[in-house]
Structures are given as C-alpha cells and as structure tokens.
Amino acid sequence: MSEGQRVRYMRLLVFFDLPVETAMQRKEYRIFRKYLIKEGFLMLQESVYVKLATSENVANAIISRLKKNRPPHGLCQVLRVTEKQYATMIDLTGESRTVEALDTTEKLVVL
C-alpha cells in the first residue's frame, strides 16, 4: 500500500426476512444462513448479520457474491457503513452481543 493510500474499513450489514412456511422455504433459509456464516458474517441479532470489509473493493466483491447466493424469495438487503459509523451503534434494550473478538483484521486470531 502506498503512503498516500489509507485503509478504509467498513461494515456490511445484511438484513433478511425470508418466508419459512413450507419445508422448501425453511431449507432455503438454512442454506442462506449457512452461506453467510461460511462467508464470515457474524450474527448481530436474528436475521441481521455483519461483516468487516477492509476496502471498497473488498466490500464490492462481498456484495457481488451475496447477489449470486441470495435467497430466491423474501427480502434481503445490504447496508454499507463506515467503521466509524458502526462504532456509534447504541443498544437501546437487551444486552449487546460481543462479536468483536472474532471480527478483526488481524491475520492470526488466538482463541
């Protein structure tokens, strides 16, 4: 990375509301949820997942893969926010989930 470039961390939040009335719909829900987890998304709350992206290009690649693996029915949305914006999130009720321990840009994570 050149001296003039800086890393622009951002978060991708995926919101989805999928039908689960039939066995096939439940299967599609499970497949999509497993895809998100395999891609490194962490669950913030039910049907809301988040992933850290280290640049605009990385974020675009993640969104492109999401489009290819989106569920065939229901609603699925992606919101891109800067790391600074994400850090201002306020928990109004309930307890905040600590997912930050595994959501890092470090190359090695010791568990």
Side-chain angles (χ1 to χ4, degrees):
M1 183 181 320
S2 71
E3 193 174 312
Q5 286 182 315
R6 65 183 178 93
V7 177
R8 183 177 163 101
Y9 294 110
M10 60 190 64
R11 299 285 177 135
L12 296 177
L13 289 101
V14 176
F15 308 89
F16 58 95
D17 186 12
L18 306 179
V20 290
E21 296 169 357
T22 68
M24 180 55 88
Q25 290 171 335
R26 287 187 294 277
K27 180 178 180 182
E28 290 169 350
Y29 173 91
R30 285 190 307 274
I31 289 170
F32 183 64
R33 188 176 171 283
K34 285 180 183 180
Y35 167 77
L36 290 174
I37 293 167
K38 185 183 90 179
E39 279 289 306
F41 282 86
L42 301 171
M43 186 171 78
L44 279 182
Q45 54 182 276
E46 196 170 326
S47 299
V48 180
Y49 285 72
V50 64
K51 181 174 178 157
L52 180 69
T54 56
S55 72
E56 189 77 23
N57 288 338
V58 171
N60 290 337
I62 293 167
I63 291 170
S64 179
R65 287 192 306 273
L66 276 167
K67 287 178 181 178
K68 291 177 184 171
N69 290 279
R70 69 180 183 257
H73 303 97
L75 178 64
C76 184
Q77 299 168 306
V78 178
L79 175 64
R80 184 187 326 216
V81 297
T82 65
E83 183 64 16
K84 187 175 180 179
Q85 292 168 325
Y86 182 80
T88 65
M89 185 183 328
I90 299 168
D91 295 318
L92 297 177
T93 60
E95 294 181 25
S96 177
R97 290 186 164 191
T98 306
V99 296
E100 300 303 320
L102 293 177
D103 194 12
T104 178
T105 59
E106 296 294 320
K107 300 292 183 203
L108 174 66
V109 177
V110 178
L111 299 176

